[in-house]
Each structure stands twice: as C-alpha cells, then as structure tokens.
Amino acid sequence: MQTVPPPTDQFWRQPQADVLAALAATAEGLSGAEAARRLAAKGANEIAGAGKRHLVADLLRRLANPLVAILLVASAIAGATGDIVSFVIIVAIVLLSTLLDMVQERRAEATAEALKRSIALSADVLRDGKVASVPVRELVPGDVVRLSAGDLVPADGLVLAANAAQVNQAVLTGEPYPVEKRPQGETAISAGEGASDGEGEGEGEGEADNLLLHGSSMVGGTATMLVVETGARTRFGRIASALADEQPPTAFERGLHKLGILIVRLTVFLVLFVLLAHLALGRPPLESFLFAMALAVGLTPELLPMIVTVALARGAQRMAQGQVVVKRLSAIHDLGQMDVLCTDKTGTLTEARIAMTGHPGIDGDDWDRVADLAAINARFETGLKSPLDEALLSHAAGPVLDGWTKLDERPFDFERRRVSVLAERGGTRIEIVKGAPETILALCDRAEQRDGTLVPLDDALRAQVMALHTARAEEGLRMLGVAWKDAAGRARIETDDDAGLVFAGLCVFVDPPKQSAAGAAARLAGQGVRIKVISGDAAVVVQHLVTQLGLAVAGVLTGDEIAQLDDLTLAARVEDVDLFARVTPDQKLRIVRALQARGHTVGFMGDGINDAPAIRAADVGLSVDTATDVAREAADMILLASDLNVLADGVGEGRRTYANIMKYIRMGTSSNFGNMLTMALASLVLPFLPLTAVQVLLNNMLYDLAQMGIPFDRADARDLAAPRGWDMSGLVRFTLIMGPLSSVFDIATIAMLIQVFHVDVETFRAAWFIESMATQILVVFVIRTAGRLWGDRPHPVLVATTLIGLAVALMLPFLPLAHLLGFAAPGWRVMAAIAALVALYLVASELLKRTAIPERWRN
C-alpha cells in the first residue's frame, strides 16, 4: 500500500513534482482501489459539525456558576423558612435565565451547519483513467479533479492545468475581484483584464495563483486540480474546527463570575460571624441557624438575573431601532466595554464597490477622452464583466455612448491580457483596446495629446507614463491602460491587428472610502475605542486608505511577519500596531486572542467565511446583514447598515445598559450588606431578633421589586464617555463605605426605638422595617448618579417603581393582617422620627458618595 505523507503547510510554494511525489500521485489520477485505501486511512472529505453538548451536562455547568449557586441556596433557605413566594420567584428566574443562555449558545452548531451547506456535493474525478462523478466526501489526497465555471472547489489543491480559469474566493480571502488560477511556472497577472495594482508583498494563500481553496467557486474557464488536503485539514475545515471549539467566557460572563465570588465571600463571612456569635451567647441553635440563613438570603441579589435580562432586553429594543439586531443579549454589555474594534476595510471603511477615481492622459491630468474610450470598450465587451467594467459604465454619461455601433470584438483571454472592440459612430471607425498598462504600452508606438495631435511614444514618454503608473500603484490603486487606432475600411479584428496602437491614458480605480467612515471613526475614538484594521489586502492599500480617512493609526504588521511570531511575542506587538495586512483567517483569530490576553475587550467586524472564527472568538462578534450565512451565524450582533456610525450608537447603548446594571449591583450589595450587618450586630445585643427570617426575606424581595425601573433609567454622560469594565475593587470600596453608613442610621433607629420610645417587639420590628426599606429604596435617587442628586432627573418608570415599592413597605405594618407578619403599627411620633432619620441619611449619602465612588468612575 502506498503511503501518503502529509504535505508541507505551504505546499503551493513547493515544486509541483515534489508535491506529486509526496502524495504518491500522478496527473492521471488514482485507481479506485487506491482511492478506497486512502479514504479509509485519511477519513471522509467532510466538515465536522460542532459537537452536540449533552443538555444535562450543560445545565449542571451553568448551575455551578457562583452567583447561580448562591441564588439556588437562597431559594432553598427561603422554602425551608416558609417563604414560598421567594422560593418560587428565585427558582423561576434562575431557570428562565439559564434556559435562555442554553438556547443562545446553540448558535455554534447552527454556524457549523451553515458552513457545511456552502460546500459542493459531487465532483468530476479522474479514477482508473476515466472521469467519474464522485461524492465530494470520498475525495482523497492525490485525486485529480476537473473543474469548470459554476463549480465549487471541493478541497484544497494545486492547479495542474487551466484554461482562462477565474475563481471567486472572496468569502475565504476577502478579495472582491475574481482571480486567475494557473499551473505553477506560468506567467500571470491579476484578473479583470490584467488590471495592475500596487501589491508587492510576499505571496500568501489567497494570492497563490496555483492554489485552489475548498469553498471557493469557479466563475470562468476550466481547471484541473490535484487534491492535496481534505476535510478538517483544508482551510475551510480549519475554520469549521475553530467554530466548533469551546470558547472562553466573554467579558460579561467573567464579570458576573467575579461578582458571584464577591457575594460568596461577604455571605460566608457574615453568616459565620452571626452563627458563631449566637452560639457563643447561648442562643437557641435552630433559631440562630435560621436567622443566619435569612441573612445569607438577604445578602443575595435574588432579582439580579431579572434586572440584567430586562436591562439587556431594553437595550436590544433600542439598538434594533438603531439598525442593530442583537443575537446574544450579554453582548450589549460587552459592546459597551469594548475598547478595541478590529475590522476589515471593505464595506466598513470603504463603499465595497469599485469606482473610477481618475482617467489621466499622458500629461498626468484627467482627460475625458480616456474615460470615454474605455467606456465604449466596456459597453460592447461580451462575457463576464469585471467590477472595473461596471465602474467605467457607471462613470460614463449618456451622450458619450450614444450613436456607437459594434462591428467586431476580440474578448479578453489570458494569452492576450486585453479586450479589443471595433466600433463606429458617424462614419468614424476605430479599434479601442484596454488592458494591463504594461501590455497596452508594449503595443503602442504613438501617444495622443490633449489637443488631438499624435506624438511618437519614445523612451522618455514611456518612462513618464510608467512613472505615473508607479505613483498610483504605490497608493494601492488598480489601473487599466487605454489605447486606440484608426480602423477605416476594416470590418473585423484580425489576430495581429493590435500592433501600432495610439496610447490615450490610464483609468484608475479604487474602492472609495466611505464618506461617513472618518466621522464614525472619530466618534469611536472619542468613546475610547481604538480601531485596528485587519485586512487581506496589501499594506500599501490599507495605509493609503487610512491616510485618506485621516485615521490616527500606528504601525503595520503583515501576515508573513505574524507567522514568525509566537503567541507571547504577538501579544506584545499588537498593543502598538493598528494595521494588519495580508493576514489569513488563523492570523485574524490569533490577533483577537492576543488582544484579549492583553486585557482588552475586543470587537471583531467581518462578513466572510474567513472572518467567522475571529467573529466568534471576539468578546463582541459583529457582522452585517449582507454577510455570508456563516459570518451572520457566528456573530453576536448584526448591523442592518454597514456603517460605523451605527456601531458607535450601539456602543453608547451598551454603556447605558451596563451603567444601569451596575446601579442595581452597587445599591443592592451596599444596602443589603449594610442592613444585614446591622441585623447581625443588633442580634448580639437585643434580647430578640431585630427581624424574623420571613421579615428579612420580605425586606429583600420588596427592595428588589422597587428597583425594576432601573433598566429604563438614563445614564450619566461620564458613563458613556469611556469603556467600563467590572471593577470589583471599586464595588468593594463602595459597599464598605455606603453599607456601614446605612448601618449607622439603622443603629441610631434601634437606639431611638428602645431608649426613647420604649416600643414593644412587634412595633420595633415594624418601625425598623419601615426605616430600613425607606433608606434602601430612596437612596437609589442619590447613588444612581455620580453627580449631584438634583442635577440629573431619574426616568419616570424608575420613579414609579421606587415610590410604589416604598408605599407597599409603609402600608404593610398598618394593614389588618399585619400581625400575621409579626408587625404592630408604630405611632405618628415614631414615624416622624423615622422620617427625620431617613432625611439625614439621604443627606449624608449625598455628601459621602463622592468618597465612595472611585475617581475612575467619576471621570
């Protein structure tokens, strides 16, 4: 049995004979028996789907999250203490949130399925010396495949023979133009009538003329391909494997995990302190345990999942109005925290269309005759029209083309590298030729001046034209040369008729910069988002574009240079580099992960299959509605308009959503901690529990319900100005300052009730419940903004939910059934004293919040 050694990583750069030898193959293909043996050894040529995750294992993994685990323990305690309402609410919220996440994360499987739908099903293969139709999954390295226009390339391989083969590989490389494919050693230039450009970097996969990539499509001509890589070893397969890989937690998930750990630590500390202290004082063990567990529940933000979901859903609604479809809700927060945006240039910074940007004559200035001649040629050209032809016809005015009739044509082919058209108008008959400037110049012996006179095309004039060509090429622009000659008395174009042409000038093309891109990029920069352009184009093209847009960028790194760097070195380099050119899909993924390793929250915007792994790996995967199915499936958000302004609006909405979530977390942790700390301390000196376990849970539930309006609130301008991450140290500082502040006023209330008013136990609990609820609920108006209380009005929905929650808390002790909750109605003097203490507390909170809120939160 013949062995099939693995080819080199860059097999297209190796001599063709060496690759054939390594594969033990010939240009005549394999025998059926040998192909069967290789299929058994190498496996099927198919893209593996994402592994199906077991639902139970997935559910258990999510329930192991610290915050979710706390909530489940809290629900169990609530049920054990008789608070069935809290038990049902907490369990329902946790299950709903968890199920939503599980549904959303099935997107990886949908992505892989979309990828599999974009490959061919069968191919014409040489087997046993004959062409046979073979299922694509049965292709093996060493097979020889025949391809023609309309076929999808079924594997990665080398071109053995070609006839005018043109391939569209935009979804894999991002290159918008069809590219010519040819056997190794033949001379070729880019497709599109040989339009030249200024690309001069080392040849990569996308630029290799002899390489055919799995998933690309034949748009013209024919080719014979030697299969070298199949299945997961193709570039297409590597992309699918990357999409199926388990992804690290996003910025939002990492933040929630940190919050869960923080609450666990606070809860364990307080519960152990209370339990041990009560047992040391000889309190009843069961009562002490239930009280300690109630404190644990009191510290738990039961409605956090609901607050987060409502806030994110509200943000998604607002973003949908701004032409952004949100597929993963938590990505809204990640978008607000994003400080680096990686994007391709096509369609984002440019219009994603080819436009003629100049048509200079031999003097270097634009001359309409050059554009007119080229447009006439493009109008009568048959066959596949290139984007350059479309640009020429879009530029031409109606009268320019009126009255011309076509007599004959010699279409473009890869031998001539040009298109010749014989046309006539008003008795004037001329042959017009356009193609690569070097090809056209070689056929010309004269040049036309602006006044219509013809001059010899001597060496000096040729050098002048080539200098003009070189200058434009260095800007990354594509060009066509245009020439003509008199054709009086001729009715056909003969094979040798293109000699003795008159050179007219050049047509210059570009994918024009998007008019809104510069302003949108400036907006993003003002929001603290650094743009990094990651492109498959040449560095000179990308540099010219960012110069036109006036973007403040630094450094250039090419794909060849990235290939020489290990991950640690790349992570060091990406910090100071904003332009990445000639990069492969694997390198895009490495760049994203390198930036994440540096602590950045990374967004990636792309539209091709080649972008999908990086889109999925980014904290915020972005695509557009015109993107490939695979890119859209991999994305967290889809922009209905390919405009960075839409994204800039989304960044603001993400930060607004995050600010509102953090309002709840700051208020919840500080208020809960302060109240539970007070109850823990009070329980040590009072002969009775300050609140029963049920009253503690009722306090916590009413407080959470009162905060349901937070997702609708406005955000400070400072919250929108820069990326905001999960700042646990800042949250601890806020909690340790504002929590004890509320404890001071709670203790003052306790002292007043016992020493001044001498109330009984039920009245004490009612009065302290009212004071505790009032301070927790009303302080939202103080600490919802880092500025002055009176300088920023809250949203009406927040005002309504807060006041309703306060009204319910005030009413409970005065209801006829209050005794069932262990309350007795306080007198008006007690209520007046509580009102005074609450007012003092709010004033103190307003004064102290400047100290509690870290400076980085206020700037």
Side-chain angles (χ1 to χ4, degrees), residues 491-517:
R492 293 182 55 81
I493 300 176
E494 304 300 338
T495 302
D496 58 354
D497 276 355
D498 283 346
L501 293 175
V502 177
F503 186 77
L506 301 171
C507 288
V508 185
F509 303 89
V510 69
D511 183 359
K514 185 167 287 187
Q515 292 184 353
S516 62

PDB file of all heavy atoms in Angstrom, residues 491-517:
ATOM      1  N   ALA A 491     -13.613  45.623 -41.222  1.00  0.00           N
ATOM      2  CA  ALA A 491     -14.862  45.105 -40.660  1.00  0.00           C
ATOM      3  C   ALA A 491     -14.607  44.065 -39.577  1.00  0.00           C
ATOM      4  O   ALA A 491     -15.528  43.674 -38.871  1.00  0.00           O
ATOM      5  CB  ALA A 491     -15.718  44.487 -41.758  1.00  0.00           C
ATOM      6  N   ARG A 492     -13.353  43.619 -39.422  1.00  0.00           N
ATOM      7  CA  ARG A 492     -13.025  42.605 -38.416  1.00  0.00           C
ATOM      8  C   ARG A 492     -11.699  42.946 -37.739  1.00  0.00           C
ATOM      9  O   ARG A 492     -10.885  43.701 -38.265  1.00  0.00           O
ATOM     10  CB  ARG A 492     -12.910  41.215 -39.070  1.00  0.00           C
ATOM     11  CG  ARG A 492     -14.228  40.661 -39.616  1.00  0.00           C
ATOM     12  CD  ARG A 492     -14.028  39.266 -40.208  1.00  0.00           C
ATOM     13  NE  ARG A 492     -13.425  38.339 -39.244  1.00  0.00           N
ATOM     14  CZ  ARG A 492     -14.128  37.714 -38.301  1.00  0.00           C
ATOM     15  NH1 ARG A 492     -15.430  37.932 -38.183  1.00  0.00           N
ATOM     16  NH2 ARG A 492     -13.533  36.878 -37.478  1.00  0.00           N
ATOM     17  N   ILE A 493     -11.507  42.351 -36.583  1.00  0.00           N
ATOM     18  CA  ILE A 493     -10.231  42.471 -35.877  1.00  0.00           C
ATOM     19  C   ILE A 493      -9.458  41.181 -36.131  1.00  0.00           C
ATOM     20  O   ILE A 493      -9.894  40.101 -35.727  1.00  0.00           O
ATOM     21  CB  ILE A 493     -10.439  42.676 -34.366  1.00  0.00           C
ATOM     22  CG1 ILE A 493     -11.247  43.941 -34.096  1.00  0.00           C
ATOM     23  CG2 ILE A 493      -9.104  42.726 -33.644  1.00  0.00           C
ATOM     24  CD1 ILE A 493     -11.576  44.147 -32.627  1.00  0.00           C
ATOM     25  N   GLU A 494      -8.353  41.293 -36.798  1.00  0.00           N
ATOM     26  CA  GLU A 494      -7.535  40.111 -37.073  1.00  0.00           C
ATOM     27  C   GLU A 494      -6.577  39.859 -35.916  1.00  0.00           C
ATOM     28  O   GLU A 494      -6.392  40.688 -35.033  1.00  0.00           O
ATOM     29  CB  GLU A 494      -6.751  40.309 -38.382  1.00  0.00           C
ATOM     30  CG  GLU A 494      -7.637  40.622 -39.578  1.00  0.00           C
ATOM     31  CD  GLU A 494      -8.645  39.517 -39.877  1.00  0.00           C
ATOM     32  OE1 GLU A 494      -8.400  38.356 -39.455  1.00  0.00           O
ATOM     33  OE2 GLU A 494      -9.672  39.799 -40.512  1.00  0.00           O
ATOM     34  N   THR A 495      -5.955  38.702 -35.950  1.00  0.00           N
ATOM     35  CA  THR A 495      -5.105  38.280 -34.840  1.00  0.00           C
ATOM     36  C   THR A 495      -3.998  39.275 -34.541  1.00  0.00           C
ATOM     37  O   THR A 495      -3.683  39.563 -33.388  1.00  0.00           O
ATOM     38  CB  THR A 495      -4.483  36.900 -35.149  1.00  0.00           C
ATOM     39  OG1 THR A 495      -5.529  35.972 -35.384  1.00  0.00           O
ATOM     40  CG2 THR A 495      -3.629  36.429 -33.980  1.00  0.00           C
ATOM     41  N   ASP A 496      -3.381  39.841 -35.578  1.00  0.00           N
ATOM     42  CA  ASP A 496      -2.222  40.713 -35.371  1.00  0.00           C
ATOM     43  C   ASP A 496      -2.574  42.194 -35.492  1.00  0.00           C
ATOM     44  O   ASP A 496      -1.702  43.034 -35.695  1.00  0.00           O
ATOM     45  CB  ASP A 496      -1.115  40.359 -36.361  1.00  0.00           C
ATOM     46  CG  ASP A 496      -1.600  40.477 -37.808  1.00  0.00           C
ATOM     47  OD1 ASP A 496      -2.814  40.722 -38.006  1.00  0.00           O
ATOM     48  OD2 ASP A 496      -0.768  40.320 -38.716  1.00  0.00           O
ATOM     49  N   ASP A 497      -3.855  42.522 -35.367  1.00  0.00           N
ATOM     50  CA  ASP A 497      -4.276  43.901 -35.611  1.00  0.00           C
ATOM     51  C   ASP A 497      -3.978  44.861 -34.468  1.00  0.00           C
ATOM     52  O   ASP A 497      -4.206  46.059 -34.611  1.00  0.00           O
ATOM     53  CB  ASP A 497      -5.788  43.950 -35.886  1.00  0.00           C
ATOM     54  CG  ASP A 497      -6.092  43.643 -37.343  1.00  0.00           C
ATOM     55  OD1 ASP A 497      -5.127  43.492 -38.100  1.00  0.00           O
ATOM     56  OD2 ASP A 497      -7.279  43.542 -37.686  1.00  0.00           O
ATOM     57  N   ASP A 498      -3.503  44.385 -33.332  1.00  0.00           N
ATOM     58  CA  ASP A 498      -3.324  45.276 -32.189  1.00  0.00           C
ATOM     59  C   ASP A 498      -1.984  45.996 -32.193  1.00  0.00           C
ATOM     60  O   ASP A 498      -1.700  46.799 -31.308  1.00  0.00           O
ATOM     61  CB  ASP A 498      -3.471  44.495 -30.872  1.00  0.00           C
ATOM     62  CG  ASP A 498      -4.933  44.208 -30.538  1.00  0.00           C
ATOM     63  OD1 ASP A 498      -5.796  44.840 -31.171  1.00  0.00           O
ATOM     64  OD2 ASP A 498      -5.192  43.376 -29.660  1.00  0.00           O
ATOM     65  N   ALA A 499      -1.128  45.739 -33.159  1.00  0.00           N
ATOM     66  CA  ALA A 499       0.143  46.464 -33.222  1.00  0.00           C
ATOM     67  C   ALA A 499      -0.122  47.887 -33.718  1.00  0.00           C
ATOM     68  O   ALA A 499      -1.104  48.159 -34.407  1.00  0.00           O
ATOM     69  CB  ALA A 499       1.100  45.744 -34.162  1.00  0.00           C
ATOM     70  N   GLY A 500       0.771  48.815 -33.368  1.00  0.00           N
ATOM     71  CA  GLY A 500       0.678  50.187 -33.838  1.00  0.00           C
ATOM     72  C   GLY A 500      -0.452  50.981 -33.196  1.00  0.00           C
ATOM     73  O   GLY A 500      -1.050  51.843 -33.840  1.00  0.00           O
ATOM     74  N   LEU A 501      -0.712  50.731 -31.914  1.00  0.00           N
ATOM     75  CA  LEU A 501      -1.788  51.446 -31.211  1.00  0.00           C
ATOM     76  C   LEU A 501      -1.343  52.844 -30.800  1.00  0.00           C
ATOM     77  O   LEU A 501      -0.135  53.135 -30.679  1.00  0.00           O
ATOM     78  CB  LEU A 501      -2.216  50.665 -29.967  1.00  0.00           C
ATOM     79  CG  LEU A 501      -2.911  49.305 -30.203  1.00  0.00           C
ATOM     80  CD1 LEU A 501      -3.161  48.612 -28.875  1.00  0.00           C
ATOM     81  CD2 LEU A 501      -4.211  49.493 -30.968  1.00  0.00           C
ATOM     82  N   VAL A 502      -2.323  53.696 -30.558  1.00  0.00           N
ATOM     83  CA  VAL A 502      -2.086  55.056 -30.034  1.00  0.00           C
ATOM     84  C   VAL A 502      -2.481  55.058 -28.561  1.00  0.00           C
ATOM     85  O   VAL A 502      -3.636  54.781 -28.205  1.00  0.00           O
ATOM     86  CB  VAL A 502      -2.924  56.098 -30.802  1.00  0.00           C
ATOM     87  CG1 VAL A 502      -2.709  57.486 -30.202  1.00  0.00           C
ATOM     88  CG2 VAL A 502      -2.575  56.072 -32.281  1.00  0.00           C
ATOM     89  N   PHE A 503      -1.538  55.345 -27.689  1.00  0.00           N
ATOM     90  CA  PHE A 503      -1.817  55.336 -26.247  1.00  0.00           C
ATOM     91  C   PHE A 503      -2.601  56.594 -25.864  1.00  0.00           C
ATOM     92  O   PHE A 503      -2.199  57.717 -26.177  1.00  0.00           O
ATOM     93  CB  PHE A 503      -0.514  55.267 -25.447  1.00  0.00           C
ATOM     94  CG  PHE A 503      -0.717  55.100 -23.970  1.00  0.00           C
ATOM     95  CD1 PHE A 503      -1.061  53.859 -23.446  1.00  0.00           C
ATOM     96  CD2 PHE A 503      -0.589  56.174 -23.105  1.00  0.00           C
ATOM     97  CE1 PHE A 503      -1.248  53.700 -22.087  1.00  0.00           C
ATOM     98  CE2 PHE A 503      -0.776  56.020 -21.748  1.00  0.00           C
ATOM     99  CZ  PHE A 503      -1.112  54.778 -21.234  1.00  0.00           C
ATOM    100  N   ALA A 504      -3.735  56.393 -25.154  1.00  0.00           N
ATOM    101  CA  ALA A 504      -4.566  57.530 -24.732  1.00  0.00           C
ATOM    102  C   ALA A 504      -4.332  57.896 -23.268  1.00  0.00           C
ATOM    103  O   ALA A 504      -4.238  59.076 -22.925  1.00  0.00           O
ATOM    104  CB  ALA A 504      -6.046  57.205 -24.955  1.00  0.00           C
ATOM    105  N   GLY A 505      -4.246  56.902 -22.403  1.00  0.00           N
ATOM    106  CA  GLY A 505      -4.049  57.208 -20.986  1.00  0.00           C
ATOM    107  C   GLY A 505      -4.425  56.035 -20.103  1.00  0.00           C
ATOM    108  O   GLY A 505      -4.539  54.884 -20.563  1.00  0.00           O
ATOM    109  N   LEU A 506      -4.633  56.326 -18.824  1.00  0.00           N
ATOM    110  CA  LEU A 506      -4.916  55.312 -17.816  1.00  0.00           C
ATOM    111  C   LEU A 506      -6.279  55.567 -17.178  1.00  0.00           C
ATOM    112  O   LEU A 506      -6.685  56.723 -16.998  1.00  0.00           O
ATOM    113  CB  LEU A 506      -3.851  55.318 -16.711  1.00  0.00           C
ATOM    114  CG  LEU A 506      -2.407  55.069 -17.123  1.00  0.00           C
ATOM    115  CD1 LEU A 506      -1.476  55.328 -15.942  1.00  0.00           C
ATOM    116  CD2 LEU A 506      -2.235  53.639 -17.625  1.00  0.00           C
ATOM    117  N   CYS A 507      -6.953  54.510 -16.819  1.00  0.00           N
ATOM    118  CA  CYS A 507      -8.139  54.606 -15.963  1.00  0.00           C
ATOM    119  C   CYS A 507      -7.753  54.046 -14.598  1.00  0.00           C
ATOM    120  O   CYS A 507      -7.207  52.935 -14.506  1.00  0.00           O
ATOM    121  CB  CYS A 507      -9.306  53.820 -16.550  1.00  0.00           C
ATOM    122  SG  CYS A 507     -10.024  54.587 -18.023  1.00  0.00           S
ATOM    123  N   VAL A 508      -8.023  54.814 -13.563  1.00  0.00           N
ATOM    124  CA  VAL A 508      -7.586  54.472 -12.208  1.00  0.00           C
ATOM    125  C   VAL A 508      -8.816  54.142 -11.365  1.00  0.00           C
ATOM    126  O   VAL A 508      -9.805  54.881 -11.366  1.00  0.00           O
ATOM    127  CB  VAL A 508      -6.815  55.643 -11.569  1.00  0.00           C
ATOM    128  CG1 VAL A 508      -6.266  55.245 -10.213  1.00  0.00           C
ATOM    129  CG2 VAL A 508      -5.685  56.094 -12.503  1.00  0.00           C
ATOM    130  N   PHE A 509      -8.734  53.034 -10.610  1.00  0.00           N
ATOM    131  CA  PHE A 509      -9.887  52.537  -9.856  1.00  0.00           C
ATOM    132  C   PHE A 509      -9.551  52.363  -8.377  1.00  0.00           C
ATOM    133  O   PHE A 509      -8.401  52.087  -8.018  1.00  0.00           O
ATOM    134  CB  PHE A 509     -10.351  51.201 -10.426  1.00  0.00           C
ATOM    135  CG  PHE A 509     -10.708  51.250 -11.884  1.00  0.00           C
ATOM    136  CD1 PHE A 509      -9.742  51.033 -12.853  1.00  0.00           C
ATOM    137  CD2 PHE A 509     -12.010  51.531 -12.282  1.00  0.00           C
ATOM    138  CE1 PHE A 509     -10.057  51.077 -14.195  1.00  0.00           C
ATOM    139  CE2 PHE A 509     -12.330  51.580 -13.628  1.00  0.00           C
ATOM    140  CZ  PHE A 509     -11.365  51.354 -14.586  1.00  0.00           C
ATOM    141  N   VAL A 510     -10.583  52.476  -7.582  1.00  0.00           N
ATOM    142  CA  VAL A 510     -10.418  52.311  -6.142  1.00  0.00           C
ATOM    143  C   VAL A 510     -11.753  51.920  -5.543  1.00  0.00           C
ATOM    144  O   VAL A 510     -12.820  52.211  -6.103  1.00  0.00           O
ATOM    145  CB  VAL A 510      -9.909  53.630  -5.503  1.00  0.00           C
ATOM    146  CG1 VAL A 510     -10.983  54.711  -5.538  1.00  0.00           C
ATOM    147  CG2 VAL A 510      -9.449  53.400  -4.062  1.00  0.00           C
ATOM    148  N   ASP A 511     -11.685  51.188  -4.438  1.00  0.00           N
ATOM    149  CA  ASP A 511     -12.876  51.008  -3.599  1.00  0.00           C
ATOM    150  C   ASP A 511     -12.926  52.260  -2.726  1.00  0.00           C
ATOM    151  O   ASP A 511     -12.166  52.382  -1.770  1.00  0.00           O
ATOM    152  CB  ASP A 511     -12.722  49.751  -2.747  1.00  0.00           C
ATOM    153  CG  ASP A 511     -13.953  49.470  -1.899  1.00  0.00           C
ATOM    154  OD1 ASP A 511     -14.911  50.258  -1.959  1.00  0.00           O
ATOM    155  OD2 ASP A 511     -13.948  48.475  -1.147  1.00  0.00           O
ATOM    156  N   PRO A 512     -13.798  53.228  -3.042  1.00  0.00           N
ATOM    157  CA  PRO A 512     -13.698  54.553  -2.418  1.00  0.00           C
ATOM    158  C   PRO A 512     -13.976  54.533  -0.917  1.00  0.00           C
ATOM    159  O   PRO A 512     -14.784  53.719  -0.442  1.00  0.00           O
ATOM    160  CB  PRO A 512     -14.765  55.374  -3.155  1.00  0.00           C
ATOM    161  CG  PRO A 512     -15.712  54.375  -3.704  1.00  0.00           C
ATOM    162  CD  PRO A 512     -14.920  53.137  -3.987  1.00  0.00           C
ATOM    163  N   PRO A 513     -13.298  55.394  -0.187  1.00  0.00           N
ATOM    164  CA  PRO A 513     -13.559  55.494   1.256  1.00  0.00           C
ATOM    165  C   PRO A 513     -15.013  55.874   1.512  1.00  0.00           C
ATOM    166  O   PRO A 513     -15.591  56.685   0.782  1.00  0.00           O
ATOM    167  CB  PRO A 513     -12.606  56.608   1.712  1.00  0.00           C
ATOM    168  CG  PRO A 513     -11.574  56.701   0.646  1.00  0.00           C
ATOM    169  CD  PRO A 513     -12.259  56.327  -0.630  1.00  0.00           C
ATOM    170  N   LYS A 514     -15.593  55.283   2.516  1.00  0.00           N
ATOM    171  CA  LYS A 514     -16.973  55.610   2.883  1.00  0.00           C
ATOM    172  C   LYS A 514     -16.986  57.011   3.489  1.00  0.00           C
ATOM    173  O   LYS A 514     -16.176  57.329   4.373  1.00  0.00           O
ATOM    174  CB  LYS A 514     -17.497  54.580   3.872  1.00  0.00           C
ATOM    175  CG  LYS A 514     -18.957  54.751   4.225  1.00  0.00           C
ATOM    176  CD  LYS A 514     -19.489  53.525   4.952  1.00  0.00           C
ATOM    177  CE  LYS A 514     -19.658  52.366   3.994  1.00  0.00           C
ATOM    178  NZ  LYS A 514     -20.334  51.217   4.621  1.00  0.00           N
ATOM    179  N   GLN A 515     -17.899  57.835   3.016  1.00  0.00           N
ATOM    180  CA  GLN A 515     -17.928  59.233   3.450  1.00  0.00           C
ATOM    181  C   GLN A 515     -18.139  59.362   4.955  1.00  0.00           C
ATOM    182  O   GLN A 515     -17.614  60.278   5.588  1.00  0.00           O
ATOM    183  CB  GLN A 515     -19.025  59.994   2.703  1.00  0.00           C
ATOM    184  CG  GLN A 515     -18.748  60.168   1.215  1.00  0.00           C
ATOM    185  CD  GLN A 515     -19.804  60.997   0.520  1.00  0.00           C
ATOM    186  OE1 GLN A 515     -20.816  61.347   1.116  1.00  0.00           O
ATOM    187  NE2 GLN A 515     -19.578  61.303  -0.749  1.00  0.00           N
ATOM    188  N   SER A 516     -18.905  58.434   5.522  1.00  0.00           N
ATOM    189  CA  SER A 516     -19.206  58.530   6.957  1.00  0.00           C
ATOM    190  C   SER A 516     -18.123  57.914   7.827  1.00  0.00           C
ATOM    191  O   SER A 516     -18.157  58.051   9.050  1.00  0.00           O
ATOM    192  CB  SER A 516     -20.534  57.829   7.252  1.00  0.00           C
ATOM    193  OG  SER A 516     -20.454  56.445   6.928  1.00  0.00           O
ATOM    194  N   ALA A 517     -17.156  57.214   7.206  1.00  0.00           N
ATOM    195  CA  ALA A 517     -16.200  56.433   7.996  1.00  0.00           C
ATOM    196  C   ALA A 517     -15.324  57.305   8.879  1.00  0.00           C
ATOM    197  O   ALA A 517     -15.081  56.970  10.045  1.00  0.00           O
ATOM    198  CB  ALA A 517     -15.338  55.577   7.078  1.00  0.00           C
TER     199      ALA A 517
END
